[in-house]
Amino acid sequence: MKKEDLRIVFMGTPEFAVGTLSRLVDDGYNIVAVVTQPDKPVGRHQDHLQPSEVKQYALAHDIPVLQPVKMKDPAFVQQLASYKADLQVVVAFRMLPEVVWSMPRFGTFNVHAALLPQYRGAAPINWAIINGETETGVTTFFLDQQIDTGRIILQKHFPIPDDADVEYVYDGLMALGADIAEETINLVLENDGNVKAIDQSTLTDGNEVELHPAPKIFKETCTINWNQPAKRVHDFVRGLSPYPGAWTTLQANDTDKSSVLKIFKTTLLNEPTGTAQTGTIKAGKSQLCIATADSWLQIDELQLSGKKRMKAADFLNGNRNIETFHV
């Protein structure tokens, strides 16, 4: 079978998924339909509907778009079946019921932004960085009843530099995800759907492997705990930068005055804090530092509530009394 004859339904929502969808379209694969989330209400009064990045791309390339509220809706299932897909490709979407993932004759595979079985869940890129990993990657696997537990088809590795944030790793994995999706589709074509895949249990059973989860991140997840070593705080900050952003409460030493302070970039100094309590702020002419459990952590980029993101030096120009505060 030629790639032009393989009928593919693509499922995804955010920009990350567009990286794969656009690659497949550009390289001539037959995308017969796209499934994405319903338009999201946005604006002050939630009165404007914002289509997903995948929908915007699909409409710009005349690809039919399906937006079910419920994946088990009989009308949607019937509509999906009408496209007679040979294969479904899923990137950054949602959990699918069996009636959907089992529909194509060659099955449904997912592109996951981690090296499974590590970092199963909604936020694998963030958690890999937060946990100080030096490597991550992408995995393709066939969907089954559980989240991110299906048989592994291919994996590609991606190094994480010590100073890399989510944006850097996100961009790298988006490109790598497009590569691995195309290679996986080609395997399906070359083997008429009979693709060898590895059961994830063979990678964990009998082995003392600690599996790290990657649950969805909420506002409270992003609160900085300064009673940790500087390296842990540093990794936490870059694992949430630029979005949603790690935050702390900036509190005046002698009043109840406080505000939310987001921190986007830090530098490890390896300078012991001595007798300074965790959360103590130290400032120079252009250097801002906060005491952690073992050393001072330099703050490079931050954003005070109601203000723009800025360099620490610019922040200090307008906040010369910052040492009268703590976090």
Side-chain angles (χ1 to χ4, degrees):
M1 178 184 288
K2 296 179 180 179
K3 65 182 181 181
E4 295 84 357
D5 299 323
L6 182 74
R7 298 178 63 82
I8 299 173
V9 167
F10 184 89
M11 300 185 182
T13 295
E15 178 194 27
F16 190 88
V18 176
T20 297
L21 177 59
S22 62
R23 174 76 66 82
L24 299 181
V25 170
D26 290 345
D27 288 354
Y29 292 88
N30 184 20
I31 310 298
V32 296
V34 157
V35 182
T36 191
Q37 295 278 39
D39 294 358
K40 183 179 180 180
V42 295
R44 184 176 180 181
H45 302 291
Q46 300 285 285
D47 54 357
H48 176 68
L49 293 177
Q50 177 69 40
S52 72
E53 287 88 344
V54 163
K55 179 180 179 179
Q56 294 177 54
Y57 179 90
L59 293 179
H61 292 79
D62 298 319
I63 303 172
V65 176
L66 286 66
Q67 295 179 275
V69 174
K70 296 182 179 179
M71 299 299 292
K72 291 183 179 180
D73 182 352
F76 163 69
V77 173
Q78 182 178 10
Q79 186 181 20
L80 182 64
S82 71
Y83 286 98
K84 297 181 170 58
D86 299 304
L87 179 70
Q88 289 176 159
V89 178
V90 181
V91 183
F93 194 44
R94 57 198 282 193
M95 189 173 181
L96 304 181
E98 184 172 0
V99 67
V100 172
W101 58 256
S102 65
M103 188 180 293
R105 62 182 180 130
F106 293 151
T108 300
F109 77 80
N110 186 92
V111 177
H112 187 70
L115 298 173
L116 292 174
Q118 295 291 358
Y119 296 103
R120 293 169 175 157
I125 298 176
N126 301 91
W127 285 108
I129 301 172
I130 288 171
N131 288 337
E133 301 286 1
T134 58
E135 182 182 62
T136 185
V138 288
T139 302
T140 51
F141 67 96
F142 286 115
L143 265 63
D144 61 14
Q145 289 90 347
Q146 304 299 317
I147 297 177
D148 301 333
T149 60
R151 293 174 297 124
I152 293 173
I153 307 166
L154 292 174
Q155 290 190 320
K156 285 182 175 291
H157 295 247
F158 183 84
I160 305 177
D162 291 341
D163 60 348
D165 61 11
V166 170
E167 186 172 35
Y168 174 88
V169 179
Y170 180 99
D171 290 345
L173 293 189
M174 183 164 61
L176 204 60
D179 292 342
I180 201 172
E182 189 164 1
E183 288 184 29
T184 302
I185 294 171
N186 290 341
L187 276 178
V188 171
L189 287 168
E190 293 165 7
N191 296 278
D192 197 31
N194 297 313
V195 177
K196 291 182 179 180
I198 301 172
D199 193 311
Q200 290 190 38
S201 64
T202 64
L203 302 176
T204 56
D205 291 354
N207 299 317
E208 293 188 8
V209 178
E210 180 184 1
L211 294 183
H212 300 288
K216 187 176 181 179
I217 290 174
F218 299 94
K219 181 181 179 180
E220 55 270 23
T221 313
C222 304
T223 309
I224 300 171
N225 176 8
W226 296 100
N227 295 314
Q228 298 183 103
K231 178 64 164 61
R232 288 288 298 168
V233 179
H234 173 71
D235 291 340
F236 187 79
V237 168
R238 64 193 184 96
L240 295 168
S241 179
Y243 182 83
W247 65 275
T248 189
T249 301
L250 187 63
Q251 180 79 44
N253 291 335
D254 53 357
T255 71
D256 292 333
K257 182 180 179 182
S258 67
S259 59
V260 172
L261 182 70
K262 282 192 174 184
I263 299 177
F264 297 99
K265 188 175 181 181
T266 60
T267 297
L268 293 170
L269 298 177
N270 296 318
E271 293 182 8
T273 56
T275 59
Q277 293 184 342
T278 57
T280 298
I281 296 175
K282 180 176 70 172
K285 185 175 180 180
S286 60
Q287 186 185 48
L288 176 64
C289 300
I290 297 177
T292 69
D294 64 350
S295 65
W296 293 101
L297 183 66
Q298 179 176 298
I299 311 303
D300 298 322
E301 294 184 21
L302 68 168
Q303 181 180 12
L304 196 60
S305 181
K307 304 294 184 178
K308 296 188 298 183
R309 176 175 171 173
M310 64 183 70
K311 302 285 187 181
D314 296 326
F315 173 81
L316 289 171
N317 284 334
N319 295 275
R320 288 299 177 187
N321 66 335
I322 191 62
E323 288 186 331
T324 64
F325 288 75
H326 65 276
V327 294

CSV table of all heavy atoms in Angstrom, one decimal, residues 62-102:
chain,number,residue,atom,x,y,z
A,62,ASP,N,-8.2,22.5,4.4
A,62,ASP,CA,-9.4,21.9,3.9
A,62,ASP,C,-9.5,20.4,4.4
A,62,ASP,O,-10.0,19.5,3.6
A,62,ASP,CB,-9.4,21.9,2.4
A,62,ASP,CG,-9.5,23.3,1.8
A,62,ASP,OD1,-10.2,24.2,2.4
A,62,ASP,OD2,-8.8,23.6,0.8
A,63,ILE,N,-9.2,20.1,5.6
A,63,ILE,CA,-9.4,18.8,6.2
A,63,ILE,C,-10.6,18.8,7.1
A,63,ILE,O,-10.8,19.7,7.9
A,63,ILE,CB,-8.1,18.4,7.0
A,63,ILE,CG1,-6.8,18.5,6.2
A,63,ILE,CG2,-8.3,17.0,7.6
A,63,ILE,CD1,-5.6,18.3,7.0
A,64,PRO,N,-11.5,17.9,6.9
A,64,PRO,CA,-12.7,17.8,7.7
A,64,PRO,C,-12.4,17.8,9.2
A,64,PRO,O,-11.4,17.1,9.6
A,64,PRO,CB,-13.4,16.6,7.2
A,64,PRO,CG,-12.9,16.3,5.9
A,64,PRO,CD,-11.5,16.8,5.9
A,65,VAL,N,-13.2,18.5,10.0
A,65,VAL,CA,-12.9,18.5,11.5
A,65,VAL,C,-14.1,18.0,12.2
A,65,VAL,O,-15.3,18.4,12.0
A,65,VAL,CB,-12.6,20.0,11.9
A,65,VAL,CG1,-12.5,20.1,13.4
A,65,VAL,CG2,-11.4,20.5,11.2
A,66,LEU,N,-13.8,17.1,13.2
A,66,LEU,CA,-14.9,16.6,14.1
A,66,LEU,C,-14.5,17.1,15.5
A,66,LEU,O,-13.4,17.0,15.9
A,66,LEU,CB,-14.9,15.1,14.1
A,66,LEU,CG,-15.5,14.4,12.8
A,66,LEU,CD1,-14.7,14.6,11.6
A,66,LEU,CD2,-15.7,12.9,13.1
A,67,GLN,N,-15.5,17.5,16.2
A,67,GLN,CA,-15.3,18.1,17.6
A,67,GLN,C,-16.3,17.5,18.6
A,67,GLN,O,-17.2,18.2,19.1
A,67,GLN,CB,-15.4,19.6,17.6
A,67,GLN,CG,-14.3,20.3,16.8
A,67,GLN,CD,-14.4,21.8,16.7
A,67,GLN,OE1,-15.1,22.3,15.9
A,67,GLN,NE2,-13.7,22.4,17.7
A,68,PRO,N,-16.2,16.3,18.9
A,68,PRO,CA,-17.2,15.7,19.8
A,68,PRO,C,-17.0,16.2,21.3
A,68,PRO,O,-15.9,16.4,21.7
A,68,PRO,CB,-16.9,14.2,19.8
A,68,PRO,CG,-15.4,14.2,19.5
A,68,PRO,CD,-15.2,15.3,18.5
A,69,VAL,N,-18.2,16.3,22.0
A,69,VAL,CA,-18.1,16.7,23.4
A,69,VAL,C,-17.9,15.4,24.2
A,69,VAL,O,-17.1,15.4,25.1
A,69,VAL,CB,-19.5,17.3,23.8
A,69,VAL,CG1,-19.5,17.5,25.3
A,69,VAL,CG2,-19.7,18.6,23.1
A,70,LYS,N,-18.5,14.3,23.7
A,70,LYS,CA,-18.3,13.0,24.3
A,70,LYS,C,-17.9,12.0,23.3
A,70,LYS,O,-18.5,11.9,22.2
A,70,LYS,CB,-19.6,12.5,25.0
A,70,LYS,CG,-20.1,13.4,26.2
A,70,LYS,CD,-21.3,12.8,26.8
A,70,LYS,CE,-21.8,13.7,28.0
A,70,LYS,NZ,-23.0,13.2,28.6
A,71,MET,N,-16.8,11.3,23.6
A,71,MET,CA,-16.2,10.4,22.6
A,71,MET,C,-17.0,9.2,22.3
A,71,MET,O,-16.9,8.5,21.3
A,71,MET,CB,-14.8,10.0,23.0
A,71,MET,CG,-13.8,11.1,23.2
A,71,MET,SD,-13.5,12.0,21.7
A,71,MET,CE,-12.6,10.8,20.7
A,72,LYS,N,-17.9,8.9,23.2
A,72,LYS,CA,-18.8,7.7,23.1
A,72,LYS,C,-20.2,8.1,22.4
A,72,LYS,O,-21.0,7.2,22.2
A,72,LYS,CB,-19.1,7.0,24.4
A,72,LYS,CG,-17.9,6.3,25.0
A,72,LYS,CD,-18.2,5.6,26.3
A,72,LYS,CE,-17.0,4.9,26.8
A,72,LYS,NZ,-17.4,4.1,28.1
A,73,ASP,N,-20.3,9.3,22.1
A,73,ASP,CA,-21.6,9.8,21.5
A,73,ASP,C,-21.8,9.0,20.2
A,73,ASP,O,-21.0,9.0,19.3
A,73,ASP,CB,-21.5,11.3,21.1
A,73,ASP,CG,-22.7,11.8,20.5
A,73,ASP,OD1,-23.7,11.0,20.2
A,73,ASP,OD2,-22.8,13.1,20.3
A,74,PRO,N,-23.0,8.2,20.1
A,74,PRO,CA,-23.2,7.4,18.9
A,74,PRO,C,-23.1,8.1,17.6
A,74,PRO,O,-22.7,7.6,16.6
A,74,PRO,CB,-24.6,6.9,19.2
A,74,PRO,CG,-24.8,6.9,20.7
A,74,PRO,CD,-24.0,8.1,21.1
A,75,ALA,N,-23.6,9.4,17.6
A,75,ALA,CA,-23.6,10.2,16.4
A,75,ALA,C,-22.1,10.4,15.9
A,75,ALA,O,-21.8,10.3,14.7
A,75,ALA,CB,-24.3,11.5,16.6
A,76,PHE,N,-21.3,10.7,16.9
A,76,PHE,CA,-19.8,10.9,16.6
A,76,PHE,C,-19.2,9.6,16.1
A,76,PHE,O,-18.5,9.6,15.1
A,76,PHE,CB,-19.1,11.5,17.8
A,76,PHE,CG,-17.6,11.3,17.7
A,76,PHE,CD1,-16.9,12.1,16.8
A,76,PHE,CD2,-16.9,10.4,18.5
A,76,PHE,CE1,-15.5,11.9,16.6
A,76,PHE,CE2,-15.5,10.2,18.4
A,76,PHE,CZ,-14.8,11.0,17.4
A,77,VAL,N,-19.4,8.5,16.8
A,77,VAL,CA,-18.9,7.3,16.4
A,77,VAL,C,-19.3,6.9,15.0
A,77,VAL,O,-18.4,6.4,14.2
A,77,VAL,CB,-19.3,6.2,17.5
A,77,VAL,CG1,-18.8,4.8,17.0
A,77,VAL,CG2,-18.7,6.4,18.8
A,78,GLN,N,-20.5,7.1,14.7
A,78,GLN,CA,-21.0,6.8,13.3
A,78,GLN,C,-20.3,7.7,12.3
A,78,GLN,O,-19.9,7.3,11.2
A,78,GLN,CB,-22.5,7.0,13.3
A,78,GLN,CG,-23.1,6.7,11.9
A,78,GLN,CD,-24.6,6.8,11.9
A,78,GLN,OE1,-25.2,7.3,12.8
A,78,GLN,NE2,-25.3,6.3,10.8
A,79,GLN,N,-20.2,9.0,12.7
A,79,GLN,CA,-19.5,9.9,11.7
A,79,GLN,C,-18.1,9.5,11.5
A,79,GLN,O,-17.5,9.6,10.4
A,79,GLN,CB,-19.6,11.4,12.3
A,79,GLN,CG,-19.1,12.4,11.3
A,79,GLN,CD,-19.2,13.8,11.9
A,79,GLN,OE1,-19.3,14.0,13.1
A,79,GLN,NE2,-19.2,14.8,11.0
A,80,LEU,N,-17.4,9.2,12.6
A,80,LEU,CA,-16.0,8.8,12.6
A,80,LEU,C,-15.8,7.5,11.7
A,80,LEU,O,-14.9,7.5,10.8
A,80,LEU,CB,-15.4,8.5,14.0
A,80,LEU,CG,-14.0,8.1,14.1
A,80,LEU,CD1,-13.1,9.2,13.6
A,80,LEU,CD2,-13.6,7.7,15.5
A,81,ALA,N,-16.7,6.6,11.9
A,81,ALA,CA,-16.7,5.3,11.1
A,81,ALA,C,-16.8,5.6,9.6
A,81,ALA,O,-16.3,4.9,8.7
A,81,ALA,CB,-17.7,4.4,11.6
A,82,SER,N,-17.6,6.7,9.2
A,82,SER,CA,-17.8,7.0,7.8
A,82,SER,C,-16.5,7.3,7.1
A,82,SER,O,-16.5,7.3,5.8
A,82,SER,CB,-18.8,8.1,7.7
A,82,SER,OG,-18.3,9.3,8.1
A,83,TYR,N,-15.5,7.7,7.8
A,83,TYR,CA,-14.2,8.1,7.1
A,83,TYR,C,-13.4,6.8,6.8
A,83,TYR,O,-12.3,6.9,6.1
A,83,TYR,CB,-13.4,9.0,8.0
A,83,TYR,CG,-14.0,10.4,7.9
A,83,TYR,CD1,-14.9,10.9,9.0
A,83,TYR,CD2,-13.8,11.3,6.9
A,83,TYR,CE1,-15.5,12.1,8.9
A,83,TYR,CE2,-14.4,12.5,6.8
A,83,TYR,CZ,-15.2,13.0,7.8
A,83,TYR,OH,-15.8,14.2,7.8
A,84,LYS,N,-13.8,5.7,7.3
A,84,LYS,CA,-13.2,4.4,7.0
A,84,LYS,C,-11.6,4.5,7.1
A,84,LYS,O,-10.9,4.1,6.2
A,84,LYS,CB,-13.5,3.9,5.5
A,84,LYS,CG,-15.0,3.7,5.3
A,84,LYS,CD,-15.3,3.2,3.9
A,84,LYS,CE,-16.7,2.7,3.8
A,84,LYS,NZ,-17.7,3.7,4.1
A,85,ALA,N,-11.2,4.9,8.3
A,85,ALA,CA,-9.7,5.1,8.5
A,85,ALA,C,-9.1,3.7,8.6
A,85,ALA,O,-9.6,2.7,9.2
A,85,ALA,CB,-9.5,5.8,9.8
A,86,ASP,N,-7.9,3.6,8.0
A,86,ASP,CA,-7.1,2.4,8.2
A,86,ASP,C,-6.2,2.5,9.5
A,86,ASP,O,-5.8,1.5,10.1
A,86,ASP,CB,-6.1,2.3,7.0
A,86,ASP,CG,-6.8,2.1,5.7
A,86,ASP,OD1,-7.6,1.2,5.6
A,86,ASP,OD2,-6.5,2.9,4.8
A,87,LEU,N,-6.0,3.8,9.9
A,87,LEU,CA,-5.1,4.0,11.0
A,87,LEU,C,-5.5,5.4,11.7
A,87,LEU,O,-5.9,6.3,11.0
A,87,LEU,CB,-3.6,4.1,10.6
A,87,LEU,CG,-2.5,4.4,11.6
A,87,LEU,CD1,-2.4,3.2,12.5
A,87,LEU,CD2,-1.2,4.7,10.9
A,88,GLN,N,-5.4,5.4,13.0
A,88,GLN,CA,-5.6,6.7,13.7
A,88,GLN,C,-4.3,7.1,14.4
A,88,GLN,O,-3.7,6.2,15.1
A,88,GLN,CB,-6.8,6.6,14.7
A,88,GLN,CG,-8.1,6.5,14.0
A,88,GLN,CD,-9.3,6.2,14.9
A,88,GLN,OE1,-10.4,6.5,14.6
A,88,GLN,NE2,-9.0,5.7,16.1
A,89,VAL,N,-4.0,8.3,14.3
A,89,VAL,CA,-2.8,8.9,15.0
A,89,VAL,C,-3.2,9.9,16.0
A,89,VAL,O,-3.9,10.9,15.7
A,89,VAL,CB,-1.8,9.5,13.9
A,89,VAL,CG1,-0.6,10.1,14.6
A,89,VAL,CG2,-1.4,8.5,12.9
A,90,VAL,N,-2.8,9.7,17.3
A,90,VAL,CA,-3.2,10.6,18.4
A,90,VAL,C,-1.9,11.3,18.9
A,90,VAL,O,-0.9,10.7,19.2
A,90,VAL,CB,-3.8,9.8,19.5
A,90,VAL,CG1,-4.3,10.7,20.6
A,90,VAL,CG2,-5.0,9.0,18.9
A,91,VAL,N,-2.0,12.6,19.1
A,91,VAL,CA,-1.0,13.4,19.7
A,91,VAL,C,-1.6,14.5,20.6
A,91,VAL,O,-2.4,15.3,20.1
A,91,VAL,CB,-0.1,14.2,18.6
A,91,VAL,CG1,1.0,14.9,19.3
A,91,VAL,CG2,0.4,13.2,17.5
A,92,ALA,N,-1.3,14.4,21.9
A,92,ALA,CA,-1.8,15.4,22.9
A,92,ALA,C,-3.3,15.6,22.7
A,92,ALA,O,-3.8,16.7,22.5
A,92,ALA,CB,-1.0,16.7,22.6
A,93,PHE,N,-4.0,14.5,23.0
A,93,PHE,CA,-5.5,14.6,22.9
A,93,PHE,C,-6.1,14.2,24.2
A,93,PHE,O,-5.7,14.8,25.3
A,93,PHE,CB,-6.0,13.8,21.8
A,93,PHE,CG,-7.4,14.0,21.4
A,93,PHE,CD1,-7.9,15.3,21.3
A,93,PHE,CD2,-8.3,13.0,21.1
A,93,PHE,CE1,-9.2,15.6,20.9
A,93,PHE,CE2,-9.6,13.2,20.8
A,93,PHE,CZ,-10.1,14.5,20.7
A,94,ARG,N,-6.9,13.2,24.3
A,94,ARG,CA,-7.6,12.8,25.5
A,94,ARG,C,-7.8,11.3,25.4
A,94,ARG,O,-7.5,10.7,24.4
A,94,ARG,CB,-9.0,13.5,25.5
A,94,ARG,CG,-9.9,13.2,24.3
A,94,ARG,CD,-11.0,14.2,24.1
A,94,ARG,NE,-12.1,13.9,25.0
A,94,ARG,CZ,-13.3,14.4,24.9
A,94,ARG,NH1,-13.6,15.3,23.9
A,94,ARG,NH2,-14.3,14.1,25.7
A,95,MET,N,-8.2,10.7,26.5
A,95,MET,CA,-8.4,9.3,26.6
A,95,MET,C,-9.5,8.9,25.7
A,95,MET,O,-10.6,9.5,25.7
A,95,MET,CB,-8.7,8.8,28.0
A,95,MET,CG,-8.6,7.3,28.2
A,95,MET,SD,-8.8,6.8,29.9
A,95,MET,CE,-8.7,5.0,29.7
A,96,LEU,N,-9.3,7.8,24.9
A,96,LEU,CA,-10.3,7.3,23.9
A,96,LEU,C,-10.9,6.1,24.4
A,96,LEU,O,-10.3,5.2,25.0
A,96,LEU,CB,-9.6,7.1,22.6
A,96,LEU,CG,-8.8,8.2,21.9
A,96,LEU,CD1,-8.3,7.7,20.6
A,96,LEU,CD2,-9.7,9.4,21.7
A,97,PRO,N,-12.2,5.9,24.2
A,97,PRO,CA,-12.9,4.7,24.5
A,97,PRO,C,-12.5,3.6,23.5
A,97,PRO,O,-12.1,3.9,22.4
A,97,PRO,CB,-14.4,5.0,24.4
A,97,PRO,CG,-14.4,6.2,23.5
A,97,PRO,CD,-13.2,7.0,23.7
A,98,GLU,N,-12.7,2.4,23.9
A,98,GLU,CA,-12.3,1.3,23.0
A,98,GLU,C,-13.1,1.3,21.7
A,98,GLU,O,-12.5,1.0,20.6
A,98,GLU,CB,-12.6,-0.1,23.7
A,98,GLU,CG,-12.1,-1.3,22.8
A,98,GLU,CD,-12.2,-2.6,23.6
A,98,GLU,OE1,-12.6,-2.6,24.8
A,98,GLU,OE2,-11.8,-3.6,23.0
A,99,VAL,N,-14.3,1.8,21.7
A,99,VAL,CA,-15.1,1.8,20.4
A,99,VAL,C,-14.4,2.7,19.4
A,99,VAL,O,-14.6,2.6,18.2
A,99,VAL,CB,-16.6,2.3,20.7
A,99,VAL,CG1,-16.6,3.7,21.2
A,99,VAL,CG2,-17.4,2.1,19.5
A,100,VAL,N,-13.6,3.7,19.9
A,100,VAL,CA,-12.9,4.6,19.0
A,100,VAL,C,-11.6,4.1,18.6
A,100,VAL,O,-11.2,4.0,17.4
A,100,VAL,CB,-12.8,6.0,19.6
A,100,VAL,CG1,-11.9,6.9,18.8
A,100,VAL,CG2,-14.2,6.6,19.8
A,101,TRP,N,-10.7,3.7,19.6
A,101,TRP,CA,-9.3,3.3,19.3
A,101,TRP,C,-9.2,2.0,18.6
A,101,TRP,O,-8.2,1.7,17.9
A,101,TRP,CB,-8.4,3.4,20.5
A,101,TRP,CG,-8.7,2.5,21.7
A,101,TRP,CD1,-9.3,3.0,22.9
A,101,TRP,CD2,-8.5,1.1,21.9
A,101,TRP,NE1,-9.4,2.0,23.8
A,101,TRP,CE2,-8.9,0.8,23.2
A,101,TRP,CE3,-8.0,0.1,21.1
A,101,TRP,CZ2,-8.9,-0.5,23.7
A,101,TRP,CZ3,-7.9,-1.2,21.6
A,101,TRP,CH2,-8.3,-1.5,22.9
A,102,SER,N,-10.3,1.2,18.7
A,102,SER,CA,-10.2,-0.1,18.1
A,102,SER,C,-10.8,-0.1,16.7
A,102,SER,O,-10.8,-1.1,16.0
A,102,SER,CB,-10.9,-1.2,18.9
A,102,SER,OG,-12.3,-0.9,19.0
